Amino acid sequence: MKLQYKTQGFTIDEKAFSVISEEGTTRALRPKTCQLLIILLKNSGQVVTKQQLLDAVWANSVVDEQVIFQSIKEIRQLFQDHDVIKTLPKQGYIWLPNVKTSHVISSVIGLPYMRFMVILLIATAFSLNYFWFSSAPNTSFHSDITGSVVILPTVNNIEGNDHSWVRLGMMDQVIQRLPNHDKFGILQTDYVLEVLARANVPLQNIKPHHVGDIFQVSGAELLVSTKLSGTPHDYQLSYTFYYRKAQTKGVLFSTDPQLLIDKLVRELNLALGVSDDSNHGYYHSDFSDEMLGVAIDLRLENNHLAAKELLEVIVLKDPNNLTAQRLFIETLLNLQQLAEATQQLAIALPLAQQQQDHSELTRLLYFQAINLIQSNSPTEAYGIIARAFKLAESYHDWLFMAYLTDLKAYLATQAQQFSKAEAYYHRAMHYHRVLKCPVGESSTWVRLGLLAKQQNNVEKQTFAFEQAKSIATQRELHQQVELIEQIGFK
C-alpha cells in the first residue's frame, strides 16, 4: 500500500518519489526536493517551518537554509511558477492548492520483477555464469586498443528517484577506477559529456544508433554502454563494449550497485589487458550528487549564470566535492569573475592535496594557471603549468598534457616566441593523437594557422587551416567546420 497525492494536475508518489503529469510523463525532480514537496502536501494549508523541513529532509546532513530555497525554487518551476507555495517571512511555507490523497496497492511481482526473473533463469541455464549474451567476454581486441576509452552515462530503468545518482554517479565511479595507459586514455566524465554534446546525443536517452556518432566525434576505440534494471536488492547491470568493428555484451547481477561496479571494472580491465590494482568495494564519486547533473546540463546549454547558482549551493552543502568545486571555478572564469575564482581556488586546491586526488588537482592547477593568465600574471602561470604538467605526465593524463601544452604555446605567442609556440602546438597535437581526438587535433591546427597568420606566413597559414578543415570535414565535426569558416578560411 502506498500513498499518492494529486494536485494541480500532477500525481506525486510518496514511496517512489516520482512526479507524473496528467499526460503520464514523469517529471524530473531531485529526491530531496520531492521529499520537501511531499511534506508540504501532507501539511497542505498549514505553515511548515524551515527547521521542520531541515529536520525532516536533511536530518543527517549539515546544511544551511539555502538548500530549502533551491528546492522551493525547483518546485515552483515544476508548477510553472503558479502561486502554489506562499512564503511567510520568519515563519515558513504554506502549500496553497487543493490536495487529494489516495492509497494504491502495489504488486510485489510486477513486470520489472518478472523480466528480471526470466533473465535470471536464462543466465542460470548457462552454467550459473552471469553472462547473458555470451559465455565470456571477447577480449581478443584489447591488444589493439590505442586511443581513448569512453564510458557512457548509465541508463537507469529503476522506477523512482532513489537511483537518480546512477546516470552520472555510476559512470564516474567506473571512470575513476580505470587506469590511464601509455597507449590509451580514459576520458573523464565532464569531457565525455562534452563529446556527447558535440555529437548531438541526448544525455538522458542514449540509444544504440548513437554509437556511430560518438565514435565519429570522439575518436574512441572502445565505448562502454550500461543499463541498470531490476528491483532494489535484485539489480542487474547489462553492458555492451562497442569496438569499431565488433561488440561484446553481457549482464551482471548483484544485490548491491557497488558490487556491480566492481564486477564491471574487472571485465573492462580484462578487455583492456590491464590488471585491476584497486581493492575498493566502494569508490567515492562526486558525480553521485544529483544536483550536479542538473548543473552540468545547464553548463552544456551555456547557461553559466544558472549553473553558478546551483554549483554554489553544492559547494556550500558539500565543500569536499572537488568536482563541484572545479566546475564552480571554471564557471566563474567563464563569467570573468576572477576575484571569486581566486578565492574558490584557495579553498579547493588544499582539499585536492589533502584528498590526494591527482586528477582533480591537475585540473584545478590548470584553471589556476588560466586565472593567472587572465589576471596578467604570466610568470606565476608558467610555474603552475609546469607543476600541473609534471603531475599529468606521471599519470598519463593525455588530455590535460595537451591542454597544459596549449597554455605554454599561448604564453610563448604572447611573448612573441613564435618558434617555441609552434613547437608546443605540435607537441600538444601529439598528445591529442594518442587519444585519437579529432576535435583536439583540428583545434590545434587552427591555432597553428592563427600563429602563422600573426607571422604573415601565408604558406603555413593555408596548410594549417586546410588540415584543420580536412579533419573536421572527414569526421563530420560540423561545429568545428563552421568555426573554421567563420575565421575566413573556406
Side-chain angles (χ1 to χ4, degrees):
M1 187 81 70
K2 58 183 180 179
L3 190 62
Q4 290 184 341
Y5 301 87
K6 294 189 177 182
T7 184
Q8 296 291 96
F10 287 91
T11 300
I12 298 91
D13 192 303
E14 184 178 48
K15 192 170 184 179
F17 281 172
S18 62
V19 180
I20 302 173
S21 69
E22 287 180 309
E23 297 79 23
T25 303
T26 300
R27 301 297 180 87
L29 203 63
R30 295 185 299 111
K32 295 293 185 185
T33 299
C34 199
Q35 280 181 265
L36 189 147
L37 172 59
I38 290 169
I39 292 169
L40 292 177
L41 296 176
K42 279 183 178 179
N43 297 277
S44 175
Q46 302 176 35
V47 177
V48 182
T49 67
K50 293 175 184 175
Q51 193 58 50
Q52 285 175 317
L53 292 172
L54 288 172
D55 291 343
V57 181
W58 290 276
N60 299 317
S61 305
V62 179
V63 296
D64 59 22
E65 293 179 354
Q66 184 65 41
V67 295
I68 296 177
F69 302 152
Q70 178 63 33
S71 289
I72 294 291
K73 179 180 176 182
E74 291 171 13
I75 292 170
R76 284 174 171 152
Q77 288 174 345
L78 174 69
F79 288 91
Q80 299 179 346
D81 292 325
H82 291 309
D83 194 13
V84 293
I85 301 174
K86 182 176 180 62
T87 303
L88 297 178
K90 298 183 180 180
Q91 294 184 55
Y93 303 94
I94 300 177
W95 183 265
L96 298 177
N98 291 330
V99 178
K100 293 182 179 180
T101 60
S102 59
H103 290 87
V104 180
I105 298 174
S106 56
S107 172
V108 174
I109 306 179
L111 183 58
Y113 181 81
M114 291 300 293
R115 286 175 179 165
F116 169 77
M117 290 304 297
V118 170
I119 293 170
L120 181 59
L121 287 170
I122 294 173
T124 305
F126 283 92
S127 303
L128 299 177
N129 205 324
Y130 50 70
F131 296 107
W132 180 17
F133 296 94
S134 58
S135 59
N138 187 342
T139 59
S140 62
F141 306 101
H142 69 76
S143 61
D144 297 327
I145 294 178
T146 57
S148 54
V149 177
V150 173
I151 312 297
L152 297 173
T154 300
V155 176
N156 174 34
N157 283 345
I158 298 180
E159 185 182 358
N161 288 337
D162 287 346
H163 294 77
S164 59
W165 67 273
V166 164
R167 180 170 69 110
L168 298 182
M170 183 171 281
M171 161 198 183
D172 185 60
Q173 286 194 43
V174 173
I175 288 171
Q176 290 188 55
R177 292 274 298 276
L178 295 172
N180 279 311
H181 195 269
D182 58 354
K183 291 184 179 179
F184 62 80
I186 312 298
L187 293 191
Q188 295 300 299
T189 301
D190 43 356
Y191 190 74
V192 171
L193 299 179
E194 289 182 23
V195 167
L196 297 180
R198 289 186 196 129
N200 293 318
V201 173
L203 298 183
Q204 301 196 40
N205 193 26
I206 301 173
K207 301 290 186 182
H209 68 264
H210 292 128
V211 168
D213 296 331
I214 299 170
F215 268 125
Q216 190 77 8
V217 169
S218 67
E221 289 297 308
L222 172 62
L223 300 182
V224 178
S225 171
T226 54
K227 179 168 61 178
L228 185 69
S229 305
T231 58
H233 307 296
D234 280 313
Y235 296 102
Q236 66 184 58
L237 185 71
S238 55
Y239 65 83
T240 305
F241 296 168
Y242 290 100
Y243 303 86
R244 287 194 171 268
K245 294 183 179 179
Q247 60 181 252
T248 298
K249 294 185 178 182
V251 62
L252 308 168
F253 297 98
S254 178
T255 59
D256 185 346
Q258 298 300 328
L259 295 178
L260 285 176
I261 292 170
D262 291 343
K263 290 182 178 183
L264 180 63
V265 168
R266 282 197 290 270
E267 298 311 319
L268 272 167
N269 280 323
L270 187 62
L272 292 169
V274 297
S275 60
D276 184 3
D277 297 326
S278 170
N279 294 317
H280 296 282
Y282 172 75
Y283 207 93
H284 173 70
S285 170
D286 289 340
F287 284 87
S288 294
D289 188 325
E290 65 272 13
M291 286 176 65
L292 193 60
V294 179
I296 288 170
D297 290 340
L298 289 169
R299 280 168 44 84
L300 292 172
E301 295 165 5
N302 291 318
N303 192 346
H304 296 294
L305 280 171
K308 177 195 170 185
E309 291 179 9
L310 201 53
L311 288 165
E312 194 165 15
V313 172
I314 298 170
V315 298
L316 285 171
K317 182 184 70 170
D318 182 12
N320 290 319
N321 189 324
L322 286 173
T323 301
Q325 291 276 9
R326 169 172 52 81
L327 292 174
F328 185 35
I329 290 162
E330 185 180 0
T331 301
L332 292 171
L333 291 173
N334 282 325
L335 294 170
Q336 292 293 302
Q337 297 175 2
L338 304 185
E340 287 185 58
T342 301
Q343 293 175 357
Q344 206 63 37
L345 280 162
I347 296 170
L349 282 165
L351 283 172
Q353 291 172 323
Q354 183 181 350
Q355 295 180 26
Q356 297 183 334
D357 190 330
H358 62 267
S359 176
E360 287 298 344
L361 181 57
T362 301
R363 284 147 179 75
L364 287 168
L365 290 169
Y366 171 76
F367 288 116
Q368 185 182 30
I370 290 176
N371 193 31
L372 289 167
I373 291 170
Q374 293 183 342
S375 302
N376 296 316
S377 302
T379 304
E380 291 180 64
Y382 269 119
I384 297 299
I385 292 169
R387 179 186 169 192
F389 186 87
K390 186 176 181 181
L391 189 60
E393 189 175 34
S394 65
Y395 290 99
H396 299 298
D397 193 338
W398 299 105
L399 185 64
F400 272 80
M401 288 164 69
Y403 286 172
L404 289 159
T405 306
D406 274 339
L407 286 186
K408 292 179 186 177
Y410 173 81
L411 288 172
T413 303
Q414 294 299 103
Q416 295 192 334
Q417 299 172 338
F418 298 126
S419 296
K420 185 180 286 188
E422 184 176 352
Y424 280 138
Y425 280 133
H426 280 290
R427 195 176 303 171
M429 196 179 307
H430 163 72
Y431 300 138
H432 284 303
R433 283 173 176 165
V434 171
L435 294 173
K436 297 186 177 178
C437 176
V439 175
E441 189 175 350
S442 176
S443 297
T444 306
W445 278 116
V446 169
R447 295 186 184 98
L448 281 165
L450 292 172
L451 181 66
K453 181 182 179 183
Q454 196 170 342
Q455 300 172 78
N456 295 315
N457 189 326
V458 177
E459 185 178 351
K460 279 189 175 181
Q461 173 186 330
T462 303
F463 177 78
F465 276 93
E466 284 177 349
Q467 291 295 311
K469 188 172 181 180
S470 173
I471 293 168
T473 302
Q474 288 174 14
R475 303 304 289 269
E476 297 181 7
L477 304 173
H478 304 300
Q479 293 179 357
Q480 193 82 350
V481 172
E482 289 176 11
L483 172 66
I484 296 167
E485 290 180 348
Q486 284 171 9
I487 296 173
F489 297 87
K490 299 183 179 180

